[in-house]
Amino acid sequence: MAEKNMSDDIEAYLKQILASNQQIEIRRTEIAERFNVVPSQINYVIKTRFTIQKGYLVESKRGGGGYIRIGRFSVRQDVLVLEQMLNCFDVTLTERMANDILETLYREKLLSQREAVLLSAMVARESLMLGNLTIENQLRSQIMRQLLHRLRLEHEGE
């Protein structure tokens, strides 16, 4: 449980910095020292909490002068991000990942609150209960792919 709390603290710290900057560049070892954790803990937080589904682009460079760059993106300003969202999952998609995508689309005003809630209900485990988790995740992936393709087409038409 303490590890989860530390992950929450690291996430909150990074989001606090991001609140005043569109993009930040950090050194994994410096953040690890600040929170008295191993550098792999920083990797874990970034990999699980700063995903493209949640509205973040992450770039990293390893080595002595290495860094991790985290940026918030705006789907409304960059149609290529919709393409990257499509490429971030394959033929299966978990309910959590689908909801992360829907939350990002809502935050970016590509979906209304009502649309996001309805779509979330459609891709929920209870709605797709087919008795086979793999098939449920495949169906969820197909639904979200169609949504993202449609949004991309609408966005390109603007």
Side-chain angles (χ1 to χ4, degrees):
M1 188 66 115
E3 183 179 8
K4 183 180 182 325
N5 290 334
M6 185 57 67
S7 294
D8 291 343
D9 292 345
I10 294 166
E11 176 187 16
Y13 173 75
L14 294 174
K15 284 184 175 178
Q16 179 184 3
I17 298 170
L18 273 165
S20 58
N21 301 293
Q22 189 68 19
Q23 178 176 293
I24 60 172
E25 195 171 288
I26 61 168
R27 298 223 184 307
R28 175 174 85 126
T29 53
E30 291 173 8
I31 302 296
E33 287 172 9
R34 178 183 184 92
F35 287 92
N36 197 27
V37 297
V38 294
S40 62
Q41 179 74 22
I42 306 305
N43 287 347
Y44 168 79
V45 170
I46 290 169
K47 185 175 175 152
T48 60
R49 315 265 178 118
F50 294 89
T51 63
I52 193 161
Q53 297 97 324
K54 294 182 180 186
Y56 298 95
L57 291 175
V58 177
E59 175 188 349
S60 65
K61 179 182 176 243
R62 296 199 181 268
Y67 61 83
I68 298 173
R69 188 174 293 143
I70 305 169
R72 276 195 131 321
F73 64 79
S74 173
V75 177
R76 294 185 83 58
Q77 294 173 355
D78 190 355
V79 72
L80 293 176
V81 174
L82 288 171
E83 211 42 61
Q84 289 176 319
M85 287 179 107
L86 277 163
N87 293 328
C88 75
F89 60 94
D90 53 14
V91 294
T92 64
L93 185 68
T94 65
E95 183 178 4
R96 179 71 250 157
M97 288 176 68
N99 281 317
D100 288 345
I101 291 169
L102 292 172
E103 287 172 24
T104 298
L105 295 173
Y106 167 68
R107 186 180 61 247
E108 293 294 321
K109 298 182 180 18
L110 289 171
L111 296 176
S112 69
Q113 182 177 13
R114 183 173 189 272
E115 290 167 336
V117 168
L118 290 172
L119 285 163
S120 180
M122 288 175 59
V123 298
R125 176 175 245 161
E126 296 81 13
S127 298
L128 303 178
M129 205 176 300
L130 300 170
N132 183 319
L133 186 58
T134 301
I135 293 172
E136 292 167 12
N137 287 342
Q138 289 171 342
L139 182 56
R140 185 178 295 111
S141 173
Q142 197 60 23
I143 291 168
M144 293 303 294
R145 284 187 171 287
Q146 289 303 312
L147 171 65
L148 291 169
H149 279 299
R150 181 66 189 158
L151 289 173
R152 189 190 64 198
L153 288 173
E154 285 179 11
H155 203 65
E156 287 174 349
E158 289 179 353

